[in-house]
């Protein structure tokens, strides 16, 4: 067990060091969610100024920004880019010649993006708090929603990175094609309360919508587990499915790489 733990941390550390050397991705993953937070906050404040204060507007903007913008691009887009880059750099071939296990490699990528996601969570939380917003709900419940969001994004990232992306140039096209419509429908860029009923009905099948709604209802409205159980059960099922399919896709990719 300790062997897997040390190998997982080693893989995660290597990925984070590589990102730190490039720096641009980390800078963009910092600037982008801050910009979206400010835009969403001012949109909420303007559209609902008779019902929400400035601070309450940012309390509702923060969850959508975090799970819909920050975590999506760092955990999903980042994991796709990591898998594709590792294949292009022949890292996987070197993996077969080392004692490092495939399981540790899989977990290491997850831990690396978990660390980035936690940094983004702290950043969004600090900016929101500095604007007067407060956290009204259960901190463990909010953490659970964020963790499920990270797991599901990384799982989807492994599926896209191992099955559909072959070159670095494919990453942006994949993320834009699959992600941007889901982000808009999930309320990440446009508040869901202005959606027509037909889009709200369609959003019920969108995992990002459930992430956004669950986290908003916990942080801004202080709702309990039972009150958001529909969103949580949807997220739990989706997360387990994506991790399972992502693991199968990863093992299939390893089998193909061995044969090349």
């Amino acid at each position: 067990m300790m062997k897997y733990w040390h190998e997982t941390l080693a893989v995660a550390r290597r990925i984070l060091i590589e990102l730190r050397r490039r720096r641009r991705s980390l800078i963009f993953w910092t600037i982008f969610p801050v910009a979206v937070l400010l835009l969403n906050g001012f949109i909420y404040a303007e559209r609902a100024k008779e019902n929400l204060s400035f601070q309450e507007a940012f309390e509702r903007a923060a969850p959508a920004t975090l799970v819909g913008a920050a975590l999506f691009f760092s955990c999903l887009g980042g994991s796709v880019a990591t898998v594709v880059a590792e294949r292009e750099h022949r890292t996987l071939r070197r993996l077969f010649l080392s004692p490092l296990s495939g399981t540790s490699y899989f977990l290491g990528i997850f831990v690396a993006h978990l660390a980035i996601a936690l940094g983004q969570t702290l950043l969004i939380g600090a900016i929101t708090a500095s604007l007067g917003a407060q956290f009204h709900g259960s901190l463990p419940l909010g953490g659970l929603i964020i963790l499920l969001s990270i797991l599901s994004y990384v799982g989807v990232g492994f599926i896209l990175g191992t099955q559909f992306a072959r070159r670095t140039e494919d990453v942006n096209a994949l993320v834009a094609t699959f992600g941007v419509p889901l982000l808009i429908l999930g309320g990440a860029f446009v508040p869901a309360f202005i959606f027509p009923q037909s889009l709200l009905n369609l959003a019920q099948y969108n995992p990002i919508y459930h992430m956004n709604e669950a986290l908003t209802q916990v942080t801004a409205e202080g709702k309990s587990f039972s009150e958001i159980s529909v969103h949580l059960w949807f997220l739990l099922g989706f997360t387990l499915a994506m991790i399972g399919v992502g693991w199968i896709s990863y093992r299939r990719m390893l089998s193909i790489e061995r044969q090349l």
Side-chain angles (χ1 to χ4, degrees):
M1 193 66 183
M2 292 301 297
K3 171 181 179 294
Y4 287 110
W5 174 249
H6 289 303
E7 289 178 349
T8 296
L9 291 182
V11 172
R13 185 166 55 249
R14 184 183 63 80
I15 293 172
L16 291 173
I17 290 174
E18 182 65 26
L19 286 172
R20 189 178 63 183
R21 287 173 180 169
R22 294 204 304 258
R23 291 188 182 179
R24 286 183 298 177
S25 295
L26 294 177
I27 293 173
F28 292 152
W29 286 342
T30 300
I31 296 175
F32 176 69
V34 173
V36 174
L37 172 65
L38 296 176
L39 289 172
N40 275 344
F42 286 117
I43 290 173
Y44 270 101
E46 179 63 27
R47 291 301 299 264
K49 55 186 175 182
E50 296 181 359
N51 301 317
L52 295 176
S53 66
F54 181 81
Q55 291 78 11
E56 290 172 333
F58 274 90
E59 288 172 3
R60 293 184 170 275
T65 301
L66 179 60
V67 299
L71 300 186
F72 177 88
F73 284 99
S74 64
C75 295
L76 191 153
S79 58
V80 173
T82 298
V83 172
V84 173
E86 298 283 64
R87 296 177 74 178
E88 287 190 330
H89 296 158
R90 305 297 183 185
T91 304
L92 292 175
R93 290 182 179 276
R94 294 196 295 272
L95 170 65
F96 302 140
L97 302 176
S98 72
L100 178 66
S101 70
T103 302
S104 298
Y105 188 77
F106 181 88
L107 293 175
I109 293 177
F110 164 73
V111 170
H113 289 90
L114 175 63
I116 295 169
L118 290 177
Q120 291 179 315
T121 301
L122 293 175
L123 174 65
I124 296 298
I127 294 175
T128 306
S130 70
L131 294 172
Q134 298 180 356
F135 189 96
H136 296 280
S138 166
L139 189 59
L141 186 56
L144 174 62
I145 296 168
I146 293 173
L147 179 61
L148 289 175
S149 302
I150 295 171
L151 286 169
S152 61
Y153 280 146
V154 173
V156 174
F158 267 96
I159 296 171
L160 297 180
T162 57
Q163 301 302 310
F164 298 100
R166 294 293 179 267
R167 300 179 303 275
T168 304
E169 293 80 6
D170 298 335
V171 175
N172 290 334
L174 274 172
V175 173
T177 300
F178 287 95
V180 174
L182 291 176
L183 288 174
I184 295 174
L185 189 60
F189 299 145
V190 180
F193 67 80
I194 68 173
F195 286 177
Q197 189 58 46
S198 58
L199 286 183
L200 283 176
N201 294 336
L202 186 60
Q204 302 300 319
Y205 303 96
N206 182 359
I208 299 176
Y209 173 80
H210 290 281
M211 297 174 193
N212 183 12
E213 288 296 305
L215 193 57
T216 299
Q217 291 176 22
V218 170
T219 60
E221 302 174 19
K223 292 190 175 181
S224 63
F225 181 93
S226 60
E227 292 175 302
I228 63 167
S229 59
V230 173
H231 299 302
L232 279 178
W233 285 119
F234 184 97
L235 278 180
L236 180 60
F238 180 78
T239 300
L240 292 175
M242 292 303 99
I243 290 296
V245 177
W247 174 253
I248 293 172
S249 300
Y250 170 71
R251 300 300 299 181
R252 180 184 177 191
M253 179 191 69
L254 292 183
S255 299
I256 294 174
E257 290 289 324
R258 286 192 180 97
Q259 298 171 4
L260 294 179

